[in-house]
Amino acid sequence: MKTYLGYINDDKLRWSATSGGIGTAIIKYLFETKRIETAVTFEFNARELKYFPKLIYSFDEYESVGSIYNEVDLVAFIKEKVLEIRGGFACFCLPCQCKAVRHILANNEHESFIIGLTCSSQQSVEATEYLLKRMNLNKLDVQGLRYRGNGWPSGIQITMKDGMTKQIPNNNSMWTEIFHSRLFVMPRCLRCNETIAANADITLADPWSLPVAKTDKVGHTLCFVMTKEGENIFDNMKKTGLITSVPMNEVESLMTQITTILRKRLYKRGGRKLNLFLRLLKSEVYRKFVLSNSVWFKLHCRLLKPFFER
Ligand SMILES: Cc1cc2nc3c(=O)[nH]c(=O)nc-3n(C[C@H](O)[C@H](O)[C@H](O)COP(=O)(O)OP(=O)(O)OC[C@H]3O[C@@H](n4cnc5c(N)ncnc54)[C@H](O)[C@@H]3O)c2cc1C
Ligand code: SF4
């Protein structure tokens, strides 16, 4: 595995991306060099308050949407749409989706390039609904919503139908509390032991905890190059001037994800106290109670800490 810190050289694409836009650069490069004919983009559906995947056949159709923190059943989508896939195929996958997506593509004789997204957890749409409730916003009035992108480290950007916009930061905010409350996390994430997508060609991450993350205002992507094909594409993107990158120390890069890696190990190990807490999280009575007002919610977040911290 080789690791790099980099960004896409196109200022507009870099700004709108989650971190440094290397993910966007890969899709652009693969289409432009005709290595792929099909990829996946996402569209926001305001009525359902969710992003949905869509097949695309050129980079012009790609929408830079940033990280999506509502559950997307990508494997089911690719299974359903497999007959509409032409030629080589690329898409972004969370670690738990990589193998299944590759398998579907191989079974249908398509070359695939998998861009892994490092992953702490994924949330149900109720997390976003709860955020709106706490902000006293009516979900029926929401027109657009982005979880990330438009600068670094950015945050949730909500556009209302009357044109008003609201922003909640990504760090130390109400959204951070909601995200880490474990009340909306997808159940499989509480038993997951994968953080960096080992089955991808290139896995991308936010450079949290690296010095650059503190000073940057635009964004850098941390890249874990996993396969020979990934290495070849990464080198060519650099040679052709699509991206800028510097090599990173592998251990230092992995250390940026250490909190998540250790937390996931803790999940796997289980133990009576942890299992009891996980059961409590599933209890409808408990959930109703802690979500009934912000004081109980905050108390829940405080109670949670000793169970999940190192
Ligand atoms: C649920 C989730 C959890 C994450 N957790 C971490 C973490 O703990 N630590 C960390 O370092 N990084 C995490 N990431 C990855 C990180 O936020 C960035 O996605 C990554 O750094 C790529 O940045 P980029 O600017 O190169 O990507 P971009 O150029 O912005 O491209 C990203 C593209 O990924 C696609 N995408 C976004 N969300 C999803 C999704 N849910 N499923 C499939 N495709 C999607 C979209 O097409 C989007 O345009 C997470 C991402 C997600 C979606
Ligand atoms: S935490 Fe694990 S199971 Fe959950 S979405 Fe991420 S990779 Fe998948």
Side-chain angles (χ1 to χ4, degrees), residues 13-14 16-25 40-42 62-70 72 74 92-94 97 117-123 148 179 195 204-208 220-222 256-257 260:
L13 291 176
R14 184 179 174 193
S16 65
T18 309
S19 41
I22 294 288
T24 303
V40 175
T41 197
F42 295 87
Y62 175 79
E63 245 191 87
S64 176
V65 294
S67 285
I68 301 166
Y69 296 136
N70 71 243
V72 175
L74 192 68
F92 294 89
C93 288
L94 298 173
Q97 301 165 330
L117 297 174
T118 298
C119 183
S120 55
S121 65
Q122 185 58 298
Q123 312 289 311
R148 295 285 301 274
F179 194 91
T195 299
L204 309 175
D206 294 316
W208 301 121
H220 284 75
T221 312
L222 191 57
T256 64
Q257 309 299 324
T260 306

Side-chain angles (χ1 to χ4, degrees), residues 94-96 119-122 188-189 192 194 264:
L94 298 173
C96 58
C119 183
S120 55
S121 65
Q122 185 58 298
R188 69 178 187 283
C189 306
C192 170
E194 263 196 284
K264 288 188 179 185

Side-chain angles (χ1 to χ4, degrees), residues 17 22 58 137 166 195 204 209 239 256 268 295:
I22 294 288
S58 75
L137 296 175
K166 297 268 179 189
T195 299
L204 309 175
S209 82
K239 273 187 206 140
T256 64
K268 271 277 171 206
V295 177

